[in-house]
Amino acid sequence: MELNGVRVSRETQERLQHFAQLFQKWAKAINLVAPSTIDGLWRRHIADSAQIFQLHPATDHWVDLGSGGGFPGIITAILLAEKGAGHVDLVESNQKKAAFLRVCLRECDARGAVHAIRIEDAPTVIHNCDVISARALAELEMLLDYAEPWLHRNENLCLLLHKGRDYERELQKARGRWQFDLVKHQSVVERDSVILELSHLRRLN
């Protein structure tokens, strides 16, 4: 099986398929993603989420903010299992979604842990990380504020953020308060989407 042109093992394929089955089951009871997008689960959500890990496959410690339906956090955790190393901390304050995420980690034998806490409280529990990911969570300026406590502990911290067509406006606004290096990765799944890779972050005021 290939994800975005990258071949994955049969074991990983089975884990992803099991995750998809769990997702379909739980989505009938709780709102994991917009209902109109469930039919496109594999391309719209799973393959789209896999792009994050594929940009930094050597990274071992991830934090995924607002993990919700498991995107991209659970997909990252499954791909880390194929690597046989690494860990992703999934932060999701909604208790029902957090329960779903825990079931997915356990049944898919994925590498991660779920923290059912507010994002603002996460740095007191998760003390360090190398990469922060987030998908369809908040505007860039707020995401940078969320990341700041970890930035103080790791000056090499990197953010990988899914963004839609309005990302230029968010970048312009964030640059009023932050300095950072930026790489824009065109989504291989959604034509109007990008993944913003931010590093060397420094608050200006």
Side-chain angles (χ1 to χ4, degrees):
M1 175 186 179
E2 290 189 354
L3 269 177
N4 306 322
V6 178
R7 180 159 293 280
V8 298
S9 68
R10 180 171 56 85
E11 290 79 11
T12 295
Q13 179 179 351
E14 291 172 354
R15 288 184 176 110
L16 291 170
Q17 288 172 337
H18 187 56
F19 165 74
Q21 292 167 358
L22 289 169
F23 182 92
Q24 296 280 6
K25 176 183 176 181
W26 280 70
K28 295 176 182 177
I30 61 176
N31 183 28
L32 295 175
V33 296
S36 62
T37 69
I38 292 179
D39 287 344
L41 176 61
W42 275 93
R43 178 173 174 81
R44 181 81 177 268
H45 296 295
I46 295 177
D48 191 38
S49 295
Q51 294 180 92
I52 287 280
F53 177 82
Q54 289 163 345
L55 289 173
H56 274 256
T59 296
D60 279 340
H61 193 180
W62 298 70
V63 167
D64 186 54
L65 301 179
S67 300
F71 309 116
I74 291 294
I75 307 307
T76 298
I78 288 173
L79 294 173
L80 285 171
E82 176 168 64
K83 190 173 81 164
H87 178 92
V88 54
D89 286 297
L90 297 93
V91 181
E92 175 51 60
S93 62
N94 182 288
Q95 295 293 332
K96 290 182 179 179
K97 291 179 181 179
F100 162 72
L101 295 170
R102 290 191 181 103
V103 169
C104 291
L105 286 177
R106 183 176 66 250
E107 294 196 15
C108 297
D109 195 24
R111 300 181 67 94
V114 178
H115 305 273
I117 55 179
R118 296 168 66 246
I119 292 174
E120 295 88 340
D121 298 330
T124 65
V125 178
I126 308 162
H127 298 295
N128 210 339
C129 64
D130 300 312
V131 171
I132 293 175
S133 61
R135 182 175 183 261
L137 176 61
E139 286 211 357
L140 178 57
E141 192 171 14
M142 180 174 288
L143 293 173
L144 293 175
D145 288 342
Y146 286 152
E148 188 171 15
W150 286 294
L151 178 63
H152 292 320
R153 303 166 192 169
N154 180 4
E155 62 182 13
N156 296 315
L157 181 68
C158 173
L159 276 65
L160 291 171
L161 309 171
H162 279 90
K163 286 294 173 184
R165 64 181 66 183
D166 200 31
Y167 70 91
E168 290 286 5
R169 179 191 61 80
E170 293 188 34
L171 281 169
Q172 183 176 3
K173 184 178 178 183
R175 285 190 172 114
R177 294 178 57 207
W178 290 88
Q179 177 179 308
F180 46 80
D181 291 343
L182 171 67
V183 180
K184 290 184 282 188
H185 302 276
Q186 182 64 46
S187 171
V188 299
V189 174
E190 297 290 338
R191 185 178 63 182
D192 294 332
S193 297
V194 296
I195 297 170
L196 301 181
E197 179 176 353
L198 283 70
S199 59
H200 301 110
L201 293 105
R202 184 171 67 87
R203 182 184 281 277
L204 297 176
N205 52 46

